[in-house]
Amino acid sequence: MKAQELLKLASQARNRAYAPYSKFQVGAALLTENGEVFSGCNVENASYGLSICAERTAVFKALSEGVKSFSAIAISAPRGGSPCGACRQVLNEFHPSIPIYLGDENGMLICATSLQDLLPHAFGPENLS
Ligand code: THU
């Protein structure tokens, strides 16, 4: 699947964001190695600290369905926001060099990067063995 197609799915997921407090809607589309896509949006809460980002929603949806082999993630956010540190760390657990496509709210590609670039010298499972 092309970056642009994955970004389109991320921008569609963004429309399902529950972000009444920040009004900052984010969507993610996580491509699995077998070509399946898990989407996610941010879900906020009146108890602000309980909010979850779009990227982690997508990863946890996949994991809870028994899938943990990923090949790319696209993120749609206003002006093409970059994943937060917590989401970078969660992605690192499963694919330390996953390609990342950042897009704007319409799913237009702003930047193509990778987790290796966004989270160098990461702490991961290998550090515990
Ligand atoms: N947010 C995400 O969904 N992904 C990120 O990587 C950055 C931040 C959400 C969390 C919160 O609901 C809103 O954007 C503002 O921080």
Short mmCIF file of all heavy atoms in Angstrom, two decimals, residues 19-84:
data_model
loop_
_atom_site.label_atom_id
_atom_site.label_comp_id
_atom_site.label_asym_id
_atom_site.label_seq_id
_atom_site.Cartn_x
_atom_site.Cartn_y
_atom_site.Cartn_z
N ALA A 19 -12.01 14.59 20.71
CA ALA A 19 -11.05 15.55 21.25
C ALA A 19 -11.75 16.87 21.62
O ALA A 19 -11.38 17.94 21.11
CB ALA A 19 -9.93 15.79 20.25
N PRO A 20 -12.76 16.79 22.50
CA PRO A 20 -13.52 18.01 22.82
C PRO A 20 -12.71 19.01 23.66
O PRO A 20 -13.09 20.17 23.72
CB PRO A 20 -14.71 17.48 23.62
CG PRO A 20 -14.23 16.20 24.23
CD PRO A 20 -13.27 15.62 23.23
N TYR A 21 -11.62 18.56 24.27
CA TYR A 21 -10.87 19.45 25.17
C TYR A 21 -9.76 20.16 24.43
O TYR A 21 -9.66 21.39 24.45
CB TYR A 21 -10.35 18.66 26.38
CG TYR A 21 -11.50 17.93 27.04
CD1 TYR A 21 -11.65 16.55 26.92
CD2 TYR A 21 -12.50 18.65 27.71
CE1 TYR A 21 -12.75 15.89 27.46
CE2 TYR A 21 -13.61 18.00 28.24
CZ TYR A 21 -13.73 16.63 28.12
OH TYR A 21 -14.83 16.00 28.63
N SER A 22 -8.93 19.41 23.72
CA SER A 22 -7.83 20.05 22.98
C SER A 22 -8.29 20.55 21.61
O SER A 22 -7.67 21.44 21.03
CB SER A 22 -6.69 19.05 22.76
OG SER A 22 -7.05 18.06 21.80
N LYS A 23 -9.35 19.95 21.11
CA LYS A 23 -9.81 20.22 19.73
C LYS A 23 -8.73 19.89 18.69
O LYS A 23 -8.78 20.33 17.55
CB LYS A 23 -10.26 21.69 19.55
CG LYS A 23 -11.16 22.21 20.64
CD LYS A 23 -12.56 22.43 20.11
CE LYS A 23 -13.45 23.18 21.08
NZ LYS A 23 -13.88 22.34 22.21
N PHE A 24 -7.75 19.12 19.11
CA PHE A 24 -6.66 18.72 18.21
C PHE A 24 -6.91 17.28 17.80
O PHE A 24 -6.64 16.34 18.55
CB PHE A 24 -5.32 18.87 18.96
CG PHE A 24 -4.10 18.72 18.08
CD1 PHE A 24 -3.60 19.81 17.37
CD2 PHE A 24 -3.44 17.50 17.98
CE1 PHE A 24 -2.45 19.67 16.57
CE2 PHE A 24 -2.31 17.35 17.20
CZ PHE A 24 -1.82 18.45 16.50
N GLN A 25 -7.47 17.12 16.61
CA GLN A 25 -7.87 15.78 16.17
C GLN A 25 -6.74 15.10 15.40
O GLN A 25 -6.11 15.71 14.53
CB GLN A 25 -9.10 15.88 15.28
CG GLN A 25 -10.30 16.43 16.02
CD GLN A 25 -11.55 16.42 15.14
OE1 GLN A 25 -11.59 17.08 14.11
NE2 GLN A 25 -12.54 15.67 15.56
N VAL A 26 -6.50 13.84 15.78
CA VAL A 26 -5.41 13.07 15.17
C VAL A 26 -5.96 11.71 14.72
O VAL A 26 -6.79 11.11 15.40
CB VAL A 26 -4.25 12.86 16.18
CG1 VAL A 26 -3.08 12.16 15.50
CG2 VAL A 26 -3.80 14.18 16.79
N GLY A 27 -5.48 11.26 13.58
CA GLY A 27 -5.84 9.92 13.09
C GLY A 27 -4.58 9.17 12.72
O GLY A 27 -3.57 9.77 12.33
N ALA A 28 -4.63 7.87 12.87
CA ALA A 28 -3.48 7.03 12.50
C ALA A 28 -3.97 5.82 11.72
O ALA A 28 -5.10 5.36 11.92
CB ALA A 28 -2.73 6.57 13.75
N ALA A 29 -3.13 5.34 10.82
CA ALA A 29 -3.42 4.10 10.09
C ALA A 29 -2.15 3.27 10.11
O ALA A 29 -1.10 3.70 9.63
CB ALA A 29 -3.86 4.40 8.66
N LEU A 30 -2.26 2.10 10.72
CA LEU A 30 -1.12 1.22 10.93
C LEU A 30 -1.23 0.04 9.98
O LEU A 30 -2.20 -0.75 10.04
CB LEU A 30 -1.17 0.73 12.40
CG LEU A 30 -0.08 -0.21 12.89
CD1 LEU A 30 1.29 0.47 12.86
CD2 LEU A 30 -0.42 -0.67 14.31
N LEU A 31 -0.25 -0.06 9.09
CA LEU A 31 -0.24 -1.14 8.09
C LEU A 31 0.48 -2.35 8.67
O LEU A 31 1.60 -2.23 9.19
CB LEU A 31 0.47 -0.65 6.83
CG LEU A 31 0.57 -1.61 5.65
CD1 LEU A 31 -0.80 -1.98 5.09
CD2 LEU A 31 1.45 -0.99 4.55
N THR A 32 -0.14 -3.52 8.58
CA THR A 32 0.48 -4.73 9.10
C THR A 32 1.23 -5.43 7.97
O THR A 32 1.03 -5.13 6.78
CB THR A 32 -0.57 -5.70 9.68
OG1 THR A 32 -1.33 -6.23 8.60
CG2 THR A 32 -1.48 -4.99 10.67
N GLU A 33 2.07 -6.39 8.34
CA GLU A 33 2.88 -7.08 7.33
C GLU A 33 2.03 -7.87 6.35
O GLU A 33 2.44 -8.11 5.23
CB GLU A 33 3.93 -7.96 8.00
CG GLU A 33 5.20 -7.18 8.23
CD GLU A 33 6.33 -8.00 8.82
OE1 GLU A 33 6.15 -9.22 9.04
OE2 GLU A 33 7.38 -7.39 9.07
N ASN A 34 0.82 -8.26 6.79
CA ASN A 34 -0.03 -9.01 5.84
C ASN A 34 -1.01 -8.11 5.09
O ASN A 34 -1.95 -8.59 4.46
CB ASN A 34 -0.75 -10.18 6.53
CG ASN A 34 -1.76 -9.72 7.56
OD1 ASN A 34 -2.03 -8.53 7.67
ND2 ASN A 34 -2.34 -10.65 8.29
N GLY A 35 -0.79 -6.80 5.17
CA GLY A 35 -1.57 -5.86 4.35
C GLY A 35 -2.83 -5.33 4.98
O GLY A 35 -3.55 -4.53 4.37
N GLU A 36 -3.10 -5.78 6.22
CA GLU A 36 -4.28 -5.30 6.93
C GLU A 36 -3.97 -3.90 7.50
O GLU A 36 -2.80 -3.60 7.78
CB GLU A 36 -4.51 -6.28 8.09
CG GLU A 36 -5.91 -6.39 8.62
CD GLU A 36 -5.98 -7.45 9.72
OE1 GLU A 36 -4.98 -8.17 9.94
OE2 GLU A 36 -7.02 -7.52 10.37
N VAL A 37 -5.00 -3.09 7.70
CA VAL A 37 -4.77 -1.76 8.30
C VAL A 37 -5.62 -1.62 9.55
O VAL A 37 -6.82 -1.88 9.54
CB VAL A 37 -5.14 -0.64 7.29
CG1 VAL A 37 -5.03 0.74 7.96
CG2 VAL A 37 -4.25 -0.70 6.06
N PHE A 38 -4.96 -1.21 10.63
CA PHE A 38 -5.68 -0.87 11.86
C PHE A 38 -5.63 0.65 12.00
O PHE A 38 -4.55 1.24 11.99
CB PHE A 38 -5.03 -1.53 13.09
CG PHE A 38 -5.27 -3.01 13.15
CD1 PHE A 38 -4.42 -3.90 12.51
CD2 PHE A 38 -6.37 -3.52 13.83
CE1 PHE A 38 -4.65 -5.27 12.55
CE2 PHE A 38 -6.62 -4.90 13.88
CZ PHE A 38 -5.75 -5.77 13.23
N SER A 39 -6.80 1.25 12.14
CA SER A 39 -6.83 2.70 12.28
C SER A 39 -7.00 3.06 13.75
O SER A 39 -7.36 2.21 14.58
CB SER A 39 -7.97 3.29 11.46
OG SER A 39 -9.20 2.84 11.97
N GLY A 40 -6.73 4.32 14.06
CA GLY A 40 -6.92 4.79 15.44
C GLY A 40 -7.12 6.28 15.44
O GLY A 40 -6.72 6.98 14.50
N CYS A 41 -7.77 6.77 16.49
CA CYS A 41 -7.93 8.22 16.66
C CYS A 41 -7.63 8.53 18.12
O CYS A 41 -7.58 7.63 18.96
CB CYS A 41 -9.35 8.66 16.29
SG CYS A 41 -10.64 7.89 17.28
N ASN A 42 -7.39 9.81 18.42
CA ASN A 42 -7.20 10.15 19.82
C ASN A 42 -8.55 10.18 20.53
O ASN A 42 -9.58 10.55 19.95
CB ASN A 42 -6.41 11.46 20.02
CG ASN A 42 -6.96 12.65 19.27
OD1 ASN A 42 -7.59 12.51 18.23
ND2 ASN A 42 -6.70 13.83 19.78
N VAL A 43 -8.52 9.73 21.77
CA VAL A 43 -9.74 9.67 22.59
C VAL A 43 -9.42 10.35 23.92
O VAL A 43 -8.62 9.85 24.71
CB VAL A 43 -10.17 8.20 22.83
CG1 VAL A 43 -11.45 8.16 23.67
CG2 VAL A 43 -10.39 7.47 21.51
N GLU A 44 -10.04 11.52 24.11
CA GLU A 44 -9.76 12.29 25.33
C GLU A 44 -10.79 11.97 26.42
O GLU A 44 -11.77 11.25 26.18
CB GLU A 44 -9.75 13.79 24.99
CG GLU A 44 -8.64 14.11 23.98
CD GLU A 44 -8.53 15.58 23.65
OE1 GLU A 44 -9.43 16.37 23.98
OE2 GLU A 44 -7.49 15.93 23.01
N ASN A 45 -10.53 12.50 27.60
CA ASN A 45 -11.41 12.24 28.73
C ASN A 45 -11.47 13.50 29.60
O ASN A 45 -10.50 14.26 29.65
CB ASN A 45 -10.85 11.06 29.54
CG ASN A 45 -11.83 10.55 30.58
OD1 ASN A 45 -11.90 11.06 31.69
ND2 ASN A 45 -12.61 9.57 30.21
N ALA A 46 -12.58 13.66 30.29
CA ALA A 46 -12.73 14.81 31.20
C ALA A 46 -11.64 14.80 32.26
O ALA A 46 -11.23 15.85 32.77
CB ALA A 46 -14.12 14.78 31.85
N SER A 47 -11.17 13.62 32.61
CA SER A 47 -9.98 13.48 33.44
C SER A 47 -8.80 13.44 32.46
O SER A 47 -8.44 12.37 31.95
CB SER A 47 -10.07 12.21 34.28
OG SER A 47 -8.90 12.04 35.03
N TYR A 48 -8.25 14.61 32.15
CA TYR A 48 -7.38 14.79 30.97
C TYR A 48 -6.28 13.73 30.81
O TYR A 48 -5.98 13.30 29.70
CB TYR A 48 -6.69 16.16 31.02
CG TYR A 48 -7.61 17.36 30.92
CD1 TYR A 48 -7.13 18.63 31.20
CD2 TYR A 48 -8.95 17.22 30.58
CE1 TYR A 48 -7.96 19.74 31.12
CE2 TYR A 48 -9.79 18.32 30.51
CZ TYR A 48 -9.29 19.59 30.78
OH TYR A 48 -10.10 20.67 30.70
N GLY A 49 -5.68 13.33 31.94
CA GLY A 49 -4.54 12.42 31.88
C GLY A 49 -4.88 11.04 31.33
O GLY A 49 -3.99 10.26 31.01
N LEU A 50 -6.15 10.74 31.23
CA LEU A 50 -6.56 9.43 30.72
C LEU A 50 -6.64 9.38 29.21
O LEU A 50 -6.89 8.33 28.62
CB LEU A 50 -7.93 9.04 31.31
CG LEU A 50 -7.99 8.95 32.83
CD1 LEU A 50 -9.37 8.51 33.27
CD2 LEU A 50 -6.94 7.99 33.36
N SER A 51 -6.43 10.51 28.57
CA SER A 51 -6.54 10.58 27.11
C SER A 51 -5.49 9.68 26.45
O SER A 51 -4.40 9.49 26.98
CB SER A 51 -6.33 12.02 26.64
OG SER A 51 -7.28 12.86 27.26
N ILE A 52 -5.85 9.15 25.29
CA ILE A 52 -4.90 8.32 24.55
C ILE A 52 -4.74 8.85 23.13
O ILE A 52 -5.70 9.35 22.53
CB ILE A 52 -5.30 6.83 24.56
CG1 ILE A 52 -4.20 5.99 23.91
CG2 ILE A 52 -6.64 6.60 23.88
CD1 ILE A 52 -4.24 4.52 24.29
N CYS A 53 -3.53 8.74 22.62
CA CYS A 53 -3.22 9.24 21.28
C CYS A 53 -3.72 8.27 20.20
O CYS A 53 -3.90 7.06 20.45
CB CYS A 53 -1.71 9.37 21.11
SG CYS A 53 -0.95 10.62 22.16
N ALA A 54 -3.85 8.82 19.01
CA ALA A 54 -4.31 8.03 17.86
C ALA A 54 -3.38 6.86 17.56
O ALA A 54 -3.84 5.74 17.27
CB ALA A 54 -4.38 8.95 16.64
N GLU A 55 -2.08 7.10 17.64
CA GLU A 55 -1.11 6.06 17.28
C GLU A 55 -1.21 4.87 18.22
O GLU A 55 -1.18 3.72 17.79
CB GLU A 55 0.32 6.62 17.34
CG GLU A 55 0.60 7.78 16.39
CD GLU A 55 0.28 9.15 16.98
OE1 GLU A 55 -0.67 9.26 17.78
OE2 GLU A 55 0.99 10.10 16.64
N ARG A 56 -1.30 5.16 19.53
CA ARG A 56 -1.39 4.05 20.47
C ARG A 56 -2.73 3.34 20.37
O ARG A 56 -2.82 2.12 20.56
CB ARG A 56 -1.12 4.53 21.90
CG ARG A 56 0.38 4.55 22.21
CD ARG A 56 0.67 5.11 23.57
NE ARG A 56 0.37 6.53 23.61
CZ ARG A 56 0.04 7.20 24.70
NH1 ARG A 56 -0.09 6.57 25.85
NH2 ARG A 56 -0.18 8.50 24.64
N THR A 57 -3.79 4.06 20.05
CA THR A 57 -5.08 3.39 19.82
C THR A 57 -4.92 2.35 18.71
O THR A 57 -5.36 1.20 18.86
CB THR A 57 -6.17 4.41 19.42
OG1 THR A 57 -6.31 5.38 20.46
CG2 THR A 57 -7.50 3.74 19.19
N ALA A 58 -4.27 2.75 17.63
CA ALA A 58 -4.10 1.83 16.49
C ALA A 58 -3.23 0.63 16.88
O ALA A 58 -3.57 -0.52 16.57
CB ALA A 58 -3.48 2.58 15.30
N VAL A 59 -2.12 0.89 17.57
CA VAL A 59 -1.23 -0.21 17.97
C VAL A 59 -1.96 -1.17 18.91
O VAL A 59 -1.90 -2.40 18.75
CB VAL A 59 0.06 0.32 18.63
CG1 VAL A 59 0.88 -0.82 19.22
CG2 VAL A 59 0.90 1.11 17.63
N PHE A 60 -2.68 -0.63 19.88
CA PHE A 60 -3.34 -1.50 20.86
C PHE A 60 -4.51 -2.26 20.23
O PHE A 60 -4.79 -3.41 20.62
CB PHE A 60 -3.79 -0.70 22.08
CG PHE A 60 -2.63 -0.09 22.86
CD1 PHE A 60 -2.81 1.03 23.65
CD2 PHE A 60 -1.35 -0.65 22.81
CE1 PHE A 60 -1.75 1.59 24.37
CE2 PHE A 60 -0.28 -0.10 23.53
CZ PHE A 60 -0.49 1.02 24.31
N LYS A 61 -5.16 -1.65 19.27
CA LYS A 61 -6.22 -2.38 18.55
C LYS A 61 -5.60 -3.60 17.84
O LYS A 61 -6.13 -4.70 17.92
CB LYS A 61 -6.89 -1.48 17.51
CG LYS A 61 -7.98 -0.59 18.08
CD LYS A 61 -8.52 0.38 17.04
CE LYS A 61 -9.25 -0.28 15.90
NZ LYS A 61 -9.77 0.74 14.93
N ALA A 62 -4.48 -3.38 17.17
CA ALA A 62 -3.83 -4.49 16.45
C ALA A 62 -3.38 -5.57 17.42
O ALA A 62 -3.66 -6.76 17.21
CB ALA A 62 -2.64 -3.96 15.65
N LEU A 63 -2.68 -5.15 18.47
CA LEU A 63 -2.17 -6.13 19.45
C LEU A 63 -3.29 -6.95 20.05
O LEU A 63 -3.18 -8.17 20.22
CB LEU A 63 -1.41 -5.39 20.56
CG LEU A 63 0.11 -5.33 20.44
CD1 LEU A 63 0.73 -6.68 20.71
CD2 LEU A 63 0.59 -4.80 19.11
N SER A 64 -4.39 -6.28 20.36
CA SER A 64 -5.50 -6.99 21.01
C SER A 64 -6.21 -7.92 20.04
O SER A 64 -6.99 -8.78 20.46
CB SER A 64 -6.47 -6.01 21.67
OG SER A 64 -7.07 -5.21 20.69
N GLU A 65 -5.93 -7.76 18.75
CA GLU A 65 -6.46 -8.70 17.75
C GLU A 65 -5.41 -9.74 17.36
O GLU A 65 -5.57 -10.47 16.39
CB GLU A 65 -6.93 -7.94 16.50
CG GLU A 65 -8.12 -7.00 16.75
CD GLU A 65 -9.38 -7.73 17.20
OE1 GLU A 65 -9.62 -8.86 16.73
OE2 GLU A 65 -10.11 -7.18 18.04
N GLY A 66 -4.30 -9.75 18.09
CA GLY A 66 -3.29 -10.79 17.87
C GLY A 66 -2.27 -10.47 16.79
O GLY A 66 -1.53 -11.35 16.35
N VAL A 67 -2.21 -9.20 16.35
CA VAL A 67 -1.29 -8.81 15.28
C VAL A 67 -0.20 -7.91 15.85
O VAL A 67 -0.50 -6.92 16.51
CB VAL A 67 -2.04 -8.06 14.15
CG1 VAL A 67 -1.09 -7.70 13.02
CG2 VAL A 67 -3.20 -8.89 13.64
N LYS A 68 1.06 -8.27 15.58
CA LYS A 68 2.14 -7.41 16.07
C LYS A 68 3.30 -7.25 15.07
O LYS A 68 4.39 -6.81 15.43
CB LYS A 68 2.66 -7.85 17.44
CG LYS A 68 3.12 -9.27 17.56
CD LYS A 68 3.67 -9.46 18.97
CE LYS A 68 4.34 -10.76 19.20
NZ LYS A 68 3.46 -11.92 19.23
N SER A 69 3.04 -7.56 13.82
CA SER A 69 4.04 -7.35 12.77
C SER A 69 3.57 -6.20 11.89
O SER A 69 2.61 -6.33 11.14
CB SER A 69 4.19 -8.61 11.92
OG SER A 69 4.65 -9.67 12.72
N PHE A 70 4.28 -5.09 12.01
CA PHE A 70 3.85 -3.87 11.32
C PHE A 70 4.84 -3.48 10.24
O PHE A 70 6.04 -3.75 10.35
CB PHE A 70 3.68 -2.74 12.33
CG PHE A 70 2.80 -3.11 13.51
CD1 PHE A 70 3.23 -2.91 14.81
CD2 PHE A 70 1.56 -3.68 13.30
CE1 PHE A 70 2.42 -3.27 15.89
CE2 PHE A 70 0.74 -4.04 14.36
CZ PHE A 70 1.17 -3.84 15.67
N SER A 71 4.34 -2.77 9.22
CA SER A 71 5.28 -2.35 8.18
C SER A 71 5.30 -0.85 7.94
O SER A 71 6.25 -0.36 7.31
CB SER A 71 5.03 -3.09 6.87
OG SER A 71 3.72 -2.94 6.47
N ALA A 72 4.31 -0.10 8.40
CA ALA A 72 4.33 1.36 8.26
C ALA A 72 3.20 1.95 9.09
O ALA A 72 2.22 1.26 9.42
CB ALA A 72 4.16 1.77 6.80
N ILE A 73 3.33 3.25 9.40
CA ILE A 73 2.23 3.95 10.05
C ILE A 73 2.10 5.33 9.43
O ILE A 73 3.11 5.99 9.15
CB ILE A 73 2.39 4.02 11.60
CG1 ILE A 73 1.14 4.64 12.24
CG2 ILE A 73 3.66 4.77 12.01
CD1 ILE A 73 1.06 4.48 13.77
N ALA A 74 0.86 5.74 9.18
CA ALA A 74 0.57 7.08 8.68
C ALA A 74 -0.21 7.82 9.76
O ALA A 74 -1.05 7.23 10.45
CB ALA A 74 -0.24 7.01 7.40
N ILE A 75 0.09 9.10 9.90
CA ILE A 75 -0.54 9.91 10.94
C ILE A 75 -1.06 11.19 10.30
O ILE A 75 -0.34 11.86 9.55
CB ILE A 75 0.48 10.25 12.05
CG1 ILE A 75 1.02 8.95 12.67
CG2 ILE A 75 -0.17 11.13 13.13
CD1 ILE A 75 2.38 9.10 13.33
N SER A 76 -2.31 11.50 10.58
CA SER A 76 -2.91 12.72 10.06
C SER A 76 -3.23 13.65 11.22
O SER A 76 -3.98 13.28 12.13
CB SER A 76 -4.19 12.35 9.30
OG SER A 76 -4.97 13.49 9.02
N ALA A 77 -2.64 14.84 11.20
CA ALA A 77 -2.85 15.80 12.29
C ALA A 77 -2.79 17.20 11.69
O ALA A 77 -2.22 17.39 10.60
CB ALA A 77 -1.76 15.63 13.35
N PRO A 78 -3.35 18.18 12.38
CA PRO A 78 -3.28 19.54 11.85
C PRO A 78 -1.84 19.94 11.56
O PRO A 78 -0.96 19.78 12.39
CB PRO A 78 -3.86 20.39 12.99
CG PRO A 78 -4.78 19.45 13.72
CD PRO A 78 -4.11 18.11 13.64
N ARG A 79 -1.60 20.41 10.35
CA ARG A 79 -0.27 20.85 9.89
C ARG A 79 0.78 19.74 9.97
O ARG A 79 1.98 20.02 9.94
CB ARG A 79 0.20 22.09 10.66
CG ARG A 79 -0.74 23.31 10.48
CD ARG A 79 -0.47 24.41 11.46
NE ARG A 79 -0.60 23.99 12.85
CZ ARG A 79 -1.77 23.85 13.49
NH1 ARG A 79 -2.90 24.12 12.86
NH2 ARG A 79 -1.81 23.45 14.75
N GLY A 80 0.34 18.48 10.10
CA GLY A 80 1.27 17.35 10.06
C GLY A 80 2.07 17.16 11.33
O GLY A 80 3.29 17.17 11.30
N GLY A 81 1.38 16.99 12.44
CA GLY A 81 2.08 16.80 13.74
C GLY A 81 2.86 15.50 13.79
O GLY A 81 2.54 14.53 13.11
N SER A 82 3.85 15.50 14.61
CA SER A 82 4.74 14.34 14.78
C SER A 82 4.31 13.54 16.02
O SER A 82 3.77 14.13 16.96
CB SER A 82 6.16 14.90 14.96
OG SER A 82 7.11 13.91 14.80
N PRO A 83 4.54 12.22 16.02
CA PRO A 83 4.09 11.43 17.18
C PRO A 83 4.79 11.83 18.48
O PRO A 83 5.98 12.14 18.48
CB PRO A 83 4.43 9.99 16.80
CG PRO A 83 5.32 10.05 15.63
CD PRO A 83 5.12 11.38 14.97
N CYS A 84 4.05 11.80 19.57
CA CYS A 84 4.61 12.17 20.88
C CYS A 84 5.60 11.09 21.35
O CYS A 84 5.67 9.99 20.79
CB CYS A 84 3.50 12.36 21.90
SG CYS A 84 2.85 10.82 22.58
#
